[in-house]
Amino acid sequence: MLVERCVENPLITPADVVPSRDDYEVVGAFNAGATVYNDQILLLLRVAERPKDKADDEELAPILNPKTGQINPLRIKQSDPDLEILDSRVFNYKGKMYLTSISHLRLARSKDGVHFDIDPEPTVFPETDYETFGLEDPRITRIDDDYYITYKVVSESGICTGLLKTSDFKTFERCGIIFCPENIDVVLFPERIGGRLYALTRPVPMHIGPRGIWLASSENLTDWGAHRPLILPRPGMFDSGKTGASCVPIKTDAGWLEIYHGSDQNDRYSLAAALLDLNDPSKIIARSKAPLMQPEADYEVKGFYGNVVFSCGAITREDGTIIIYYGASDELTAAATTTIDNIITTMQ
Amino acid sequence: MLVERCVENPLITPADVVPSRDDYEVVGAFNAGATVYNDQILLLLRVAERPKDKADDEELAPILNPKTGQINPLRIKQSDPDLEILDSRVFNYKGKMYLTSISHLRLARSKDGVHFDIDPEPTVFPETDYETFGLEDPRITRIDDDYYITYKVVSESGICTGLLKTSDFKTFERCGIIFCPENIDVVLFPERIGGRLYALTRPVPMHIGPRGIWLASSENLTDWGAHRPLILPRPGMFDSGKTGASCVPIKTDAGWLEIYHGSDQNDRYSLAAALLDLNDPSKIIARSKAPLMQPEADYEVKGFYGNVVFSCGAITREDGTIIIYYGASDELTAAATTTIDNIITTMQ
């Protein structure tokens, strides 16, 4: 089997997470960035919350007031003619889109990679004008002795990508918006290539062009240029709808191994892999012809937004084993194991 | 009167421009960048062309083959059920958007700013993979002794912004894609501010956020970061729909004077102004409460895409006079004059 699901799956559920306040409930603990720090496996979870007192006849969107630091829900009666419910995650009201939950980032720590202690308090909480709808889908890249976290920054100004920096996972420095709207699923490469730093990005064009993975490069991690399309959706395949980077690229003898996500025309999200040239990541050496992993388990098919396996991080051991952490159905955290050799063999 | 239209308007029409090939016709000569070079006023026109032999019962999209350098039109019968005609500029076919003309950039030269000699050949012609649908809406910024041209790069990969560099307006160096899809109407400031280079950009978010002007900054003009929203649409006003930078910001004693365009809910494009702090252009000092200029003249109201005045460049004389060059109805080039003092007075 190409990947093997952990028998303990799901590893983390919303019920395992203490909400940030008593009158809120956690509805998602998923899409976690992953890294190793001080001999522990750290997951930086996206924790989605909403007020407990949501009435059955209303939709609500929890929104941060950056001046007070308080979250106040926008509440709309379902009978309101200006309301358009899109799916469990989002609705339109008077022509603007809102999220039905607000996410923050929360650390979980493990010795074995399977059993996690989840911090009782938020690790990084929305606070700026650009984070009023929440922080989502973090990826952690270690570069030298610092850890850089790219994350989806959501507010009424747009959906874009911010950068956090930490060296101790206690204090986090906000380094600003590094890709302006609409750009998500940004993953940094772990080292310079030919003197430049690289990122995979996912522009979301309104009028022309696919929703697929682009490449960008930088001198300093905060200013980015040299944009070009890279791993795009393939008509008729499992990734015909959208593609986006998932895990931090893994350096292998064969090339940079990128585990990415691809969705089809039914918005079913699978995981797949691409191999990029070690010295020039704009060159694709190989790409999965079939998914590494598709939604199959009950907790992947059903849930808050079903038919989704979506990774934001993996851990590679010295023996070539990979633990892929992934969000299932925009609700839970699960894991699956495979090896670098396994993945590369399937691409040949 | 706040601005005065040139009595010679329109200054340039499609009929004044020699097409790039005999079997094509010029349908637009508009949205020109402007600068002064060797005591001449230079306009870098957007010249839109299409095959002369377009049949009445078809839509066509001229597309560059970057391998051969040839433009071959995609021709669709209007009876085709997969065709959706959006307006005179664009159509959808099988879910993808195409342009009904392809644009290149062409120099026009003038001693008096009113009478122009138009080069008989294209100045910058589409040639790369990212330019297959054309080059559009150039802005020219002189920084020290070089001229940098930001332009809309359009292909099936997306609508984004590229950078050209020239010192002589004979040879042009392509410096890559500086803002990935979808981002247009990019204008560079003419000097460093606090050590950084600045640009106004116009992200086009698909899901959340307005289509308005953002600010970005850079060390080197090719890598950009520190994105933040700046001059956004204002509900209920003439610029309630979209805002985008038009001219290169003009340094005045009162601040950076930006002449921008704003459209309303009916896609009627006007010109207006904003004044930004000289030392921190993220601070708006003042902004037009009414348009500087709205589509009123016959050639602004009617045409290829009517009800549009859209500038990509202005020339400032030492006495504080400004000549605003603007595209009228996505077809012609016209000009209007005013003064810096006039504009600033109206914002107080």
Side-chain angles (χ1 to χ4, degrees):
Chain A
M1 191 180 288
L2 189 52
V3 303
E4 197 152 344
R5 286 170 174 78
C6 282
V7 292
E8 295 88 348
N9 275 352
L11 304 187
I12 298 171
T13 74
D16 300 327
V17 183
V18 180
S20 68
R21 46 192 275 190
D22 291 342
D23 56 339
Y24 273 53
E25 63 183 347
V26 173
V27 294
F30 62 117
N31 294 5
T35 194
V36 176
Y37 176 74
N38 279 354
D39 297 325
Q40 286 191 317
I41 291 181
L42 294 188
L43 293 185
L44 189 61
L45 296 162
R46 168 180 170 187
V47 172
E49 299 179 299
R50 69 178 176 204
K52 279 182 187 166
D53 68 351
K54 177 185 176 301
D56 287 342
D57 67 345
E58 70 178 6
E59 290 294 303
L60 63 76
I63 300 173
L64 173 82
N65 180 334
K67 292 191 180 68
T68 63
Q70 290 298 307
I71 292 170
N72 298 305
L74 173 72
R75 294 174 186 270
I76 313 293
K77 289 283 174 205
Q78 283 171 352
S79 56
D80 192 317
D82 290 326
L83 173 71
E84 182 192 5
I85 298 171
L86 300 175
D87 60 45
S88 58
R89 307 164 301 175
V90 284
F91 63 83
N92 272 336
Y93 182 64
K94 294 189 173 175
K96 290 187 178 176
M97 188 178 280
Y98 295 92
L99 309 187
T100 59
S101 62
I102 185 165
S103 295
H104 65 264
L105 309 183
R106 183 90 64 107
L107 279 171
R109 304 156 198 271
S110 175
K111 288 282 182 198
D112 63 4
V114 173
H115 301 90
F116 282 88
D117 292 323
I118 303 164
D119 282 9
E121 304 272 347
T123 307
V124 186
F125 203 75
E127 68 179 47
T128 75
D129 287 349
Y130 314 128
E131 299 172 342
T132 55
F133 290 7
L135 320 180
E136 304 179 355
D137 303 355
R139 276 81 165 181
I140 308 170
T141 301
R142 180 177 174 170
I143 302 177
D144 300 326
D145 289 332
D146 290 311
Y147 296 80
Y148 294 90
I149 299 157
T150 49
Y151 66 109
K152 221 164 124 182
V153 177
V154 191
S155 75
E156 64 178 6
S157 293
I159 305 170
C160 45
T161 297
L163 181 68
L164 294 165
K165 179 181 178 181
T166 186
S167 58
D168 58 9
F169 288 94
K170 289 176 188 158
T171 58
F172 295 81
E173 179 192 348
R174 278 174 168 81
C175 306
I177 295 177
I178 58 172
F179 295 99
C180 63
E182 198 160 320
N183 207 317
I184 59 177
D185 296 330
V186 171
V187 174
L188 306 177
F189 284 68
E191 61 184 63
R192 285 181 189 265
I193 303 165
R196 293 275 285 180
L197 294 150
Y198 282 82
L200 303 171
T201 81
R202 224 301 291 283
V204 186
M206 179 187 277
H207 293 105
I208 296 182
R211 289 196 251 178
I213 299 171
W214 281 51
L215 185 70
S217 63
S218 175
E219 294 295 334
N220 57 14
L221 291 179
T222 50
D223 301 331
W224 291 89
H227 303 274
R228 55 164 70 190
L230 187 61
I231 306 169
L232 301 182
R234 295 174 292 187
M237 294 185 69
F238 64 92
D239 53 6
S240 60
K242 296 174 265 185
T243 54
S246 271
C247 303
V248 174
I250 301 164
K251 195 174 189 179
T252 75
D253 292 341
W256 291 104
L257 178 63
E258 169 59 21
I259 298 173
Y260 71 92
H261 59 269
S263 68
D264 64 15
Q265 301 301 326
N266 298 316
D267 222 29
R268 183 173 190 254
Y269 279 77
S270 302
L271 294 177
L275 201 59
L276 308 175
D277 189 284
L278 279 183
N279 301 313
D280 179 0
S282 73
K283 292 184 185 158
I284 299 175
I285 297 170
R287 189 168 164 189
S288 299
K289 291 178 183 58
L292 292 182
M293 195 176 171
Q294 305 180 74
E296 285 168 3
D298 196 54
Y299 53 87
E300 297 162 354
V301 173
K302 298 176 190 165
F304 186 74
Y305 187 77
N307 273 321
V308 172
V309 292
F310 188 102
S311 179
C312 292
I315 299 294
T316 311
R317 299 196 191 276
E318 281 183 16
D319 64 0
T321 310
I322 302 176
I323 314 178
I324 302 171
Y325 294 97
Y326 64 95
S329 294
D330 277 14
E331 182 172 329
L332 313 162
T333 296
T337 55
T338 183
T339 66
I340 291 173
D341 286 348
N342 256 351
I343 297 178
I344 291 178
T345 304
T346 65
M347 288 195 282
Q348 281 161 350
Chain B
M1 193 180 288
L2 189 52
V3 303
E4 197 151 345
R5 285 169 174 81
C6 282
V7 292
E8 294 88 348
N9 275 351
L11 304 186
I12 299 171
T13 73
D16 301 326
V17 183
V18 181
S20 68
R21 46 193 274 191
D22 291 342
D23 55 341
Y24 273 52
E25 62 183 347
V26 173
V27 293
F30 62 118
N31 294 5
T35 194
V36 176
Y37 177 74
N38 278 354
D39 297 325
Q40 286 192 317
I41 291 180
L42 295 188
L43 293 185
L44 190 59
L45 295 162
R46 169 181 170 186
V47 172
E49 299 179 299
R50 68 178 177 204
K52 279 182 188 167
D53 67 352
K54 177 184 176 302
D56 287 342
D57 67 344
E58 70 178 5
E59 290 295 302
L60 63 76
I63 300 173
L64 172 82
N65 179 335
K67 292 190 180 70
T68 63
Q70 289 300 306
I71 293 170
N72 299 305
L74 172 73
R75 294 174 187 268
I76 314 293
K77 288 284 174 203
Q78 283 170 352
S79 56
D80 192 316
D82 290 325
L83 173 71
E84 180 192 6
I85 298 172
L86 300 175
D87 60 46
S88 58
R89 306 165 302 175
V90 284
F91 63 83
N92 273 336
Y93 182 63
K94 295 190 173 175
K96 290 187 178 176
M97 189 180 278
Y98 294 91
L99 309 187
T100 59
S101 62
I102 185 166
S103 295
H104 64 265
L105 308 183
R106 183 90 65 107
L107 280 170
R109 306 156 197 270
S110 176
K111 290 280 183 198
D112 63 6
V114 174
H115 301 90
F116 282 87
D117 291 324
I118 303 164
D119 282 10
E121 304 273 345
T123 308
V124 187
F125 203 74
E127 68 180 45
T128 76
D129 287 348
Y130 315 127
E131 299 172 341
T132 54
F133 290 7
L135 319 181
E136 305 181 353
D137 303 355
R139 276 82 165 181
I140 308 170
T141 301
R142 179 177 176 171
I143 302 178
D144 300 327
D145 288 333
D146 290 311
Y147 296 80
Y148 293 90
I149 299 157
T150 49
Y151 67 109
K152 220 162 124 184
V153 177
V154 191
S155 75
E156 64 177 5
S157 294
I159 306 170
C160 44
T161 298
L163 182 68
L164 294 165
K165 179 181 178 181
T166 186
S167 58
D168 58 9
F169 287 93
K170 289 176 187 156
T171 58
F172 295 81
E173 178 192 348
R174 278 174 168 81
C175 306
I177 295 176
I178 58 172
F179 295 99
C180 63
E182 198 162 321
N183 207 316
I184 60 177
D185 295 330
V186 172
V187 173
L188 305 177
F189 284 69
E191 61 184 63
R192 286 182 188 263
I193 304 165
R196 294 275 283 181
L197 295 150
Y198 282 82
L200 302 171
T201 81
R202 224 302 289 284
V204 187
M206 179 187 278
H207 293 105
I208 296 181
R211 289 196 251 178
I213 300 171
W214 282 51
L215 185 70
S217 64
S218 175
E219 293 296 335
N220 56 16
L221 291 179
T222 50
D223 301 331
W224 292 88
H227 304 274
R228 54 165 69 193
L230 187 61
I231 306 169
L232 301 183
R234 294 174 294 187
M237 295 185 67
F238 64 93
D239 53 6
S240 60
K242 295 173 265 184
T243 54
S246 270
C247 303
V248 174
I250 301 164
K251 194 175 190 179
T252 75
D253 293 339
W256 291 105
L257 179 63
E258 169 59 22
I259 299 172
Y260 71 91
H261 60 269
S263 68
D264 65 14
Q265 300 302 325
N266 297 317
D267 222 30
R268 182 172 191 255
Y269 280 76
S270 302
L271 294 176
L275 202 58
L276 308 175
D277 188 285
L278 279 183
N279 300 312
D280 179 0
S282 74
K283 292 184 185 158
I284 300 176
I285 297 170
R287 189 166 164 190
S288 299
K289 289 175 185 60
L292 292 181
M293 194 176 171
Q294 305 179 74
E296 284 169 4
D298 196 55
Y299 52 87
E300 297 162 353
V301 173
K302 298 174 191 167
F304 186 73
Y305 187 77
N307 273 321
V308 173
V309 292
F310 187 103
S311 178
C312 292
I315 299 295
T316 310
R317 299 198 190 275
E318 280 182 17
D319 63 1
T321 309
I322 302 176
I323 314 177
I324 302 171
Y325 294 97
Y326 64 96
S329 295
D330 277 14
E331 182 172 329
L332 312 162
T333 296
T337 55
T338 184
T339 67
I340 291 173
D341 286 348
N342 256 351
I343 296 178
I344 291 177
T345 303
T346 65
M347 288 196 281
Q348 283 160 349

